[in-house]
Amino acid sequence: MRNQTTRGWRRYVNVVNIGALIIVVLTTAPLYWMATASFKGAGEISASPPTLLPGHPTTGNYADAFGGNSLGRYLFNSALVSVVSTVVVLALAFFAGYALARLPMRGRGPIMIALLMISVFPAIAVVTPLYLLERSAGMLNSYQGLIIPYIAFNLPFSIWILRNYLLGVPRALEEAATVDGAGPLRTVLSVILPLARPGLFTAGVFTFTATWAEFLMALTLNSEDSFRTVPVGMALFSSQYTVPYGTIFAGAMVATVPIAILVLVFRRSVISGMTSGAVKG
């Protein structure tokens, strides 16, 4: 009986491992193709059957992306908009999340439901009135014209994450700080803020990734080339008669690097913040 149970368990583990391997292959295959194609010439990219490795590696695609297509400018715009939006979102979400987790207030449940509903609200439903509003305010083709909507759209989900994470912070720590003479603001900044770093990292990674990859509002609100972000700029690499796949792959590789570094550096904190929110909500 024990041997049958052991064999059944091993069979189950093998099936899970095979399934995980298939998922990894399906996930990494497009990234591998993008990375190798960025070093291929136009003829080799469209060759049939396709080659797994570049036959004649070239960096010309990267030179075209940064030279004739202003990828460097697009990267600067995306970095500026994403960093500023993320910092402001985290600052506001931390205090709002703390208030919802700790302070007595009426309607806490409806507020949380409203935040969750707003966080999944489709941007396409408001992009037209948002365009008209920013046009009347003279904010089109500007950094603030993107930063303000990005803050508004990413703040509710960040508040939700931080509120759920702060529910797991023991109240005894705040009580001990109060006994030691710390005021409310000092207690929050000196005691709660350091403990909330995993939740802040989680909300920060989600916010930065969402703003870095956002396309619709960036396309609608900023039509001047000097204010375009990476997704919009890369979408306009194509001309009327040709599609420079190599240049697009090179730009995509460069645009993927910041997100990959962010996830790799903060992966443990992100996992901690996500699991805490899952069990404490």
Side-chain angles (χ1 to χ4, degrees):
M1 182 66 180
R2 181 177 298 177
N3 292 335
Q4 292 179 353
T5 303
T6 302
R7 285 196 296 267
W9 176 252
R10 289 178 179 175
R11 190 179 298 111
Y12 171 76
V13 172
N14 291 334
V15 171
V16 172
N17 289 336
I18 293 173
L21 180 61
I22 293 174
I23 293 174
V24 170
V25 171
L26 293 176
T27 304
T28 57
L31 296 176
Y32 174 80
W33 173 255
M34 179 176 66
T36 55
S38 67
F39 293 99
K40 296 179 180 180
E44 192 174 1
I45 292 176
S46 58
S48 181
T51 57
L52 294 179
L53 293 173
H56 303 282
T58 176
T59 58
N61 294 324
Y62 290 89
D64 291 340
F66 282 97
N69 291 283
S70 305
L71 181 60
R73 181 66 187 182
Y74 303 151
L75 288 170
F76 173 80
N77 293 340
S78 288
L80 177 62
V81 171
S82 299
V83 169
V84 173
S85 300
T86 302
V87 170
V88 176
V89 165
L90 292 182
L92 297 177
F94 172 73
F95 287 102
Y98 177 81
L100 289 170
R102 285 290 194 263
L103 303 183
M105 65 176 63
R106 296 180 179 179
R108 191 193 311 268
I111 291 175
M112 296 304 299
I113 294 174
L115 289 175
L116 187 60
M117 293 176 63
I118 295 172
S119 65
V120 297
F121 196 79
I124 194 172
V126 299
V127 69
T128 300
L130 184 61
Y131 173 84
L132 297 175
L133 180 63
E134 292 205 359
R135 186 180 65 177
S136 63
M139 294 175 57
L140 295 177
N141 295 310
S142 65
Y143 293 122
Q144 64 268 24
L146 278 183
I147 291 174
I148 295 175
Y150 285 172
I151 292 173
F153 270 84
N154 290 281
L155 185 58
F157 186 61
S158 297
I159 293 175
W160 181 277
I161 292 176
L162 286 168
R163 182 258 181 184
N164 288 347
Y165 186 84
L166 291 172
L167 286 175
V169 177
R171 291 180 178 270
L173 298 176
E174 298 172 74
E175 296 173 356
T178 302
V179 171
D180 291 339
L185 182 60
R186 183 179 178 183
T187 300
V188 172
L189 296 179
S190 301
V191 179
I192 304 301
L193 182 59
L195 297 175
R197 282 183 296 180
L200 288 170
F201 288 145
T202 303
V205 168
F206 276 103
T207 301
F208 185 88
T209 303
T211 54
W212 182 271
E214 200 280 326
F215 179 81
L216 181 60
M217 284 190 287
L219 175 65
T220 305
L221 302 179
N222 284 352
S223 59
E224 292 185 5
D225 189 67
S226 58
F227 289 102
R228 285 173 179 158
T229 56
V230 170
V232 178
M234 287 179 53
L236 299 177
F237 277 1
S238 303
S239 63
Q240 183 177 358
Y241 301 103
T242 61
V243 179
Y245 291 108
T247 305
I248 293 174
F249 283 132
M253 276 298 300
V254 175
T256 303
V257 169
I259 302 299
I261 294 176
L262 195 67
V263 173
L264 288 175
V265 171
F266 298 115
R267 64 187 186 279
R268 294 184 178 178
S269 297
V270 170
I271 293 173
S272 174
M274 291 177 63
T275 54
S276 176
V279 300
K280 295 294 181 182

